[in-house]
Amino acid sequence: EAGVFEYMLSLPVSLAAWFWGKFIGRLFVVFIPVLGAMLLAMAWAAFKGSEIPWVSVTFYTGLLLSLAWCFLGIGMLISSLARSSDVAQGIAFIAWLVLLLFLDLILLGLMVQGGMQAETAVIVALANPLQVFRTASMLLFDPQLVLLGPSAYVILDHFSTMGYLTYALLYPVAVGTLSAFLGFLYFRKSRS
């Protein structure tokens, strides 16, 4: 980015335009290769004569876009708060570890064994964008969520299949948007 800031400062670009422009630009950089891979996979399937499950492909692409949006928003918040790239990488690594810690419903099963209500454990799991993505991915090829065992009953009782898929598309976007907005507010305040 050498020389870019001097050029940017010579143009009448607002902080909001700069911040959100970086966010959208990074979203394209992250998502375009994923979209290209999905299109390549569909082309290969069509070439081989396989039937393409358009609904599943659309949902999987939407889930990937939603998760990319979520983590870019979290990344923008972290980069606004951190004063150096080393600190930002450390915070990002710890955030990733925390999300991974609550990824496995088996760990949440241990929490239930320790006395936590099953519904509370599922709520903890469904607050994690990684678990939401993982469960929605499973739901697309296993509508009964047999892989999840008893926690599937709690999820499917509170959501229908389409309701959970909608939640899985919208919730990470909401987390990413809120994170990016908080990052923007802090960024704007720190530049004033």
Side-chain angles (χ1 to χ4, degrees):
E1 295 184 347
V4 172
F5 291 120
E6 291 83 3
Y7 178 71
M8 295 277 297
L9 291 173
S10 69
L11 299 173
V13 176
S14 68
L15 282 176
W18 183 83
F19 186 89
W20 294 108
K22 276 193 106 62
F23 180 84
I24 297 298
R26 287 180 178 164
L27 181 66
F28 279 117
V29 168
V30 167
F31 189 67
I32 293 299
V34 172
L35 181 62
M38 292 294 278
L39 293 174
L40 188 62
M42 287 188 302
W44 182 257
F47 175 73
K48 289 293 191 178
S50 298
E51 184 179 336
I52 299 171
W54 290 106
V55 172
S56 294
V57 168
T58 303
F59 270 112
Y60 278 123
T61 305
L63 289 171
L64 290 168
L65 178 61
S66 177
L67 198 62
W69 185 283
C70 178
F71 282 107
L72 282 171
I74 292 169
M76 293 298 282
L77 174 61
I78 290 170
S79 67
S80 295
L81 295 174
R83 292 292 170 210
S84 71
S85 61
D86 292 336
V87 172
Q89 286 177 341
I91 293 170
F93 182 69
I94 294 201
W96 180 254
L97 285 178
V98 167
L99 290 175
L100 284 178
L101 178 67
F102 291 104
L103 177 64
D104 196 0
L105 284 176
I106 293 171
L107 172 68
L108 295 169
L110 293 174
M111 293 166 65
V112 169
Q113 271 186 331
M116 182 182 279
Q117 295 289 332
E119 288 81 10
T120 306
V122 172
I123 288 170
V124 168
L126 296 183
N128 181 353
L130 282 176
Q131 182 64 44
V132 170
F133 173 82
R134 180 177 177 228
T135 307
S137 298
M138 289 180 200
L139 186 64
L140 285 172
F141 71 85
D142 177 17
Q144 301 302 317
L145 288 175
V146 174
L147 294 170
L148 291 182
S151 34
Y153 295 113
V154 177
I155 293 171
L156 293 176
D157 285 348
H158 287 84
F159 297 96
S160 65
T161 299
M162 189 53 74
Y164 187 78
L165 290 173
T166 303
Y167 172 75
L169 288 170
L170 298 179
Y171 174 69
V173 170
V175 169
T177 302
L178 179 64
S179 298
F181 183 71
L182 291 173
F184 170 68
L185 292 178
Y186 185 82
F187 177 75
R188 186 177 64 185
K189 180 182 160 195
S190 67
R191 300 297 180 253
S192 299

